[in-house]
Amino acid sequence: MTFPQLLTILRARYKVILATLLIVVTATVAVSLALPKIYRTSTTVLLNYKGTDPVSGRVLAAQLVSGYMATQMDIVASRSVALKAVDNLGLANDPDVRQRFRMATGRNASIRDWLADSLLKMVEVAPSRESSVIEIIAKGNDPAFVAKVANAFATAYQQLNLQIKVEPLHQASQYFSGEVKTLRANLEEAENKLSKYQQDHGIVSTDNHLDVETARLNELSTQLVQAQGQAIEASSRGSQAMGSGGRDSPDVASNMLIQNLKSSLATAEGKFAMLSQNLDRNHPQYQAAKAEVDRLQAELNSSISSTNNSVANNGRIQRQREAEVRAALSAQTAKVLQLNRARDELSVLGKDVESAQHAYDAAMQRLAQTELEGNANQSDVSVLNPAATPTRPASPNVMLNTVLSILLGSTLGLALAILAEMANRRVRSANDLLKVLQAPMLGTIAWGKPARRSGFTSLFLSR
């Protein structure tokens, strides 16, 4: 079928097309006017997921953004948000609503659940492309109620978002409170053990006390070395004094009294030798000189014996002092070792106290942070544009429906015209006749209304 043939058919069947168009447009307008008016409004909320938490300082990872947005949309369209919206609107206490509930259900059901399901049917959630904005759309017959529902869902979503963030923190706060009590008891027990150990062992300051005792041990070691040297020297001098009668010992040789006695004895012996040559032994001078020599010899022997005894006593004293210093050194060594053991045990107890203190401080820090986060009333959701009461219905759109009905009616009329022509095919042009008869065409007759004749032409023809 060519285009000229199509135009010929349309001119011939224009009544069918116009009738179809008129019927479709009329029916569409009538139905649009008969349908109930549906009002539409929306509330846009902003999710501050890219910002830093003012309490904990945590930032949402970039790879979790898409999942976070999908999760928030599911939360907005959840029954929990709907139940909170029912409570915020106070619908469960409305007598008219309760009457409709009894008429609609006819059974003993939960009015809050019924209202939540009804509100969920009115609400749609749509995300904005490449942004953190969510649009909460509400549709219904009452424009004021539709705006209230959209705003109530936004408020309920804010409340639930804050509740989801705060409730785990409250549970964690309770857990940390119990842990802090336990750790405080452990810390007090460790401190009591440390204090009791110090009291039992008389330790006030282990490090300073140990430094004093170590210095004393070093001093005793030095004194022992000195005492050992002095004892060895005294023993050697005593051996020399006792070995040769004591007359050739260094102590005897260095004694000034003995040297003076030896000098006086030599003088007296020289004098006695001179007198013994000239006088008889019964002579008084002879006897006096002899008595003087005997006295000096006795004093010399007594001084030498006293000096040797003093050297021997000094050796014994030095050995005794060495033994005393050695015993003191042994006692001091044992004391230092005991202090070392006490320091080690005290260090273990101190580390227990330190570990308990660190655990307690960490738990207290987490408890303080958790309580601070749990008491925060800042939600991640902000209402960007609250819903306003719509002034015009969103549907039905009479103008749009009329335009669409014109397009649909025209298309349907064209289709019916073509179908009617195909059911009752007629010759409407020379080309149609050529295709049907398969014969040459000699001429065509142009059908049309006869032209109106003028008065002159009529008069000429009548004559």
Side-chain angles (χ1 to χ4, degrees):
M1 181 181 294
T2 61
F3 186 70
Q5 291 176 338
L6 180 60
L7 292 178
T8 304
I9 295 172
L10 294 181
R11 283 197 301 268
R13 302 286 184 175
Y14 74 94
K15 293 182 180 180
V16 176
I17 297 174
L18 292 178
T20 303
L21 177 61
L22 182 60
I23 293 173
V24 171
V25 171
T26 304
T28 302
V29 172
V31 171
S32 298
L33 294 176
L35 287 175
K37 295 181 180 180
I38 303 298
Y39 293 89
R40 181 183 182 275
T41 187
S42 63
T43 300
T44 54
V45 294
L46 175 65
L47 305 182
N48 299 321
Y49 63 89
K50 290 185 179 179
T52 302
D53 192 292
V55 178
S56 63
R58 292 191 298 266
V59 181
L60 184 66
Q63 60 270 20
L64 300 179
V65 171
S66 59
Y68 179 80
M69 290 293 296
T71 302
Q72 298 306 310
M73 291 177 59
D74 292 339
I75 292 176
V76 174
S78 65
R79 179 181 290 271
S80 299
V81 173
L83 291 173
K84 285 185 175 293
V86 170
D87 296 336
N88 293 336
L89 293 173
L91 298 177
N93 299 324
D94 192 342
D96 296 336
V97 174
R98 299 182 69 89
Q99 182 65 27
R100 289 198 300 269
F101 167 70
R102 286 191 291 268
M103 294 176 61
T105 58
R107 61 181 184 275
N108 188 15
S110 174
I111 186 173
R112 293 179 69 249
D113 294 337
W114 179 74
L115 289 171
D117 294 335
S118 301
L119 293 183
L120 287 175
K121 295 177 181 179
M122 297 175 57
V123 173
E124 296 178 1
V125 183
S128 298
R129 181 175 298 178
E130 297 181 357
S131 69
S132 56
V133 175
I134 293 179
E135 185 178 11
I136 303 175
I137 305 169
K139 297 179 182 179
N141 299 327
D142 187 354
F145 182 71
V146 166
K148 290 181 180 180
V149 169
N151 292 327
F153 261 77
T155 303
Y157 172 51
Q158 283 183 313
Q159 296 173 352
L160 184 61
N161 181 273
L162 184 61
Q163 179 181 351
I164 291 174
K165 184 174 69 173
V166 169
E167 282 187 353
L169 296 175
H170 287 168
Q171 296 176 0
S173 177
Q174 295 177 359
Y175 168 75
F176 280 118
S177 297
E179 288 297 318
V180 164
K181 292 181 181 179
T182 303
L183 292 174
R184 184 187 292 115
N186 294 337
L187 177 60
E188 292 176 354
E189 182 180 359
E191 289 177 345
N192 291 333
K193 287 183 179 179
L194 178 62
S195 178
K196 185 176 183 302
Y197 186 85
Q198 289 178 332
Q199 292 176 1
D200 293 342
H201 293 79
I203 301 174
V204 178
S205 178
T206 308
D207 295 334
N208 296 335
H209 188 56
L210 184 61
D211 292 340
V212 173
E213 298 298 335
T214 303
R216 185 177 298 174
L217 177 64
N218 295 332
E219 183 180 358
L220 287 175
S221 298
T222 303
Q223 292 179 5
L224 178 61
V225 172
Q226 294 177 355
Q228 287 176 344
Q230 292 175 0
I232 292 173
E233 182 181 0
S235 297
S236 177
R237 290 167 61 185
S239 299
Q240 291 180 0
M242 299 302 294
S244 58
R247 295 182 177 274
D248 297 331
S249 65
D251 294 297
V252 173
S254 61
N255 194 327
M256 296 303 298
L257 178 61
I258 294 176
Q259 296 301 324
N260 292 331
L261 288 175
K262 285 184 177 181
S263 177
S264 298
L265 179 60
T267 302
E269 285 180 346
K271 183 180 179 180
F272 177 70
M274 291 177 61
L275 290 176
S276 62
Q277 291 178 359
N278 298 320
L279 298 176
D280 186 58
R281 64 178 60 183
N282 293 323
H283 192 278
Q285 292 181 357
Y286 178 87
Q287 291 181 354
K290 187 176 185 306
E292 181 67 18
V293 170
D294 293 339
R295 184 182 66 78
L296 291 174
Q297 184 67 45
E299 288 182 1
L300 178 61
N301 292 334
S302 176
S303 296
I304 292 173
S305 177
S306 177
T307 301
N308 291 331
N309 291 333
S310 176
V311 171
N313 291 333
N314 185 38
R316 288 192 298 271
I317 291 172
Q318 293 297 333
R319 287 191 295 273
Q320 184 178 359
R321 183 172 180 275
E322 178 189 1
E324 292 176 354
V325 172
R326 189 184 300 278
L329 179 63
S330 299
Q332 187 66 23
T333 302
K335 188 174 183 180
V336 170
L337 292 176
Q338 183 179 1
L339 286 176
N340 285 331
R341 289 192 297 270
R343 183 185 64 178
D344 294 338
E345 295 178 2
L346 194 63
S347 176
V348 173
L349 295 176
K351 289 181 179 179
D352 293 340
V353 174
E354 185 178 358
S355 299
Q357 185 68 47
H358 287 334
Y360 175 73
D361 293 339
M364 280 295 298
Q365 183 179 2
R366 290 291 296 126
L367 175 61
Q369 182 179 1
T370 304
E371 288 181 347
L372 185 61
E373 294 178 8
N375 294 329
N377 57 358
Q378 297 178 354
S379 176
D380 295 334
V381 180
S382 301
V383 177
L384 190 61
N385 294 318
T389 302
T391 58
R392 290 182 297 179
S395 64
N397 192 339
V398 179
M399 184 63 67
L400 179 61
N401 293 342
T402 303
V403 173
L404 294 177
S405 67
I406 292 174
L407 296 176
L408 179 61
S410 300
T411 304
L412 184 59
L414 292 175
L416 291 177
I418 294 173
L419 290 176
E421 185 67 21
M422 296 299 294
N424 187 12
R425 191 76 171 93
R426 296 184 180 183
V427 177
R428 299 187 183 279
S429 64
N431 293 329
D432 294 342
L433 189 59
L434 288 175
K435 290 183 178 180
V436 173
L437 299 177
Q438 299 293 325
M441 184 179 59
L442 300 178
T444 61
I445 300 174
W447 293 93
K449 292 180 180 181
R452 296 179 65 183
R453 297 178 180 180
S454 64
F456 177 76
T457 306
S458 301
L459 181 60
F460 177 76
L461 292 175
S462 64
R463 289 181 179 180

